[in-house]
Amino acid sequence: MVLLLGVGIASVTDLELNLLGSVLSGLAIATTCVGQILTNTIQKKLKVSSTQLLYQSAPYQAAILFATGPFVDRLLTNRSVFAHKYTTPVVGFIILSCLIAVSVNFSTFLVIGTTSPVTYQVLGHLKTCLVLSFGYTLLHDPFTMKNILGILVAIFGMALYSFFSVRESKKKSTNDALPVSQMPDKETEPLLATKDGSDIKKANGVSHGC
């Protein structure tokens, strides 16, 4: 919550709520959460790599976008993507955008599979803070005290998350590594036994005299 507050202060400029925007935002949050949690679960349970998961899921994602994208775009913009004049530079930028999207998806699967969906979100918000900082440093974008305050609050939230994550991982590793004194005792029952109990005594180190 601290991290989200800082990112909101740093990046949100104009806040305007309406029903359509709220519904779309809620659907985006829900689908993103479900997708990232499923990605993490699949990689951990099935022991698949990021490349394997991307190879299996990319065709379905492309088919869904190809089937629904033009209609949704027409609904939102009142313009058809097929009516646009596709010149060579436009096609080149489309291909470049697709390659960048594949790289982003691969890095997303890699981070989620290695860490967790929450860590991926923290990393994404760090990217937002870096974009704002580089925009001011390299492009001389306007930078106000509100942006600086938001970035500082976000960094504080990231530090809190890192602290508690490290502490939890150390606690888990400590519980997993039990000392020798806490290990269960060896079995006292013999592996072989007969009805008269003679083999039991032999197994326990007791021998009969002749």
Side-chain angles (χ1 to χ4, degrees), residues 146-201:
K146 184 173 75 70
N147 300 124
I148 298 176
L149 177 63
I151 291 177
L152 292 178
V153 173
I155 292 176
F156 178 70
M158 295 175 197
L160 284 178
Y161 174 77
S162 301
F163 172 76
F164 287 111
S165 297
V166 171
R167 190 175 70 172
E168 183 179 356
S169 62
K170 287 183 178 180
K171 183 178 179 180
K172 184 178 179 181
S173 61
T174 303
N175 294 334
D176 292 340
L178 292 176
V180 178
S181 59
Q182 296 184 8
M183 295 181 64
D185 296 334
K186 295 183 178 179
E187 295 181 354
T188 58
E189 296 294 332
L191 297 179
L192 298 175
T194 58
K195 293 183 179 180
D196 58 358
S198 59
D199 289 342
I200 298 178
K201 293 181 181 180

Side-chain angles (χ1 to χ4, degrees), residues 70-97:
F71 299 101
V72 175
D73 196 66
R74 179 66 178 268
L75 179 64
L76 296 178
T77 63
N78 293 325
R79 298 173 61 184
S80 175
V81 295
F82 301 107
H84 185 80
K85 184 179 180 180
Y86 292 95
T87 60
T88 302
V90 172
V91 174
F93 278 110
I94 291 175
I95 296 175
L96 178 61
S97 177

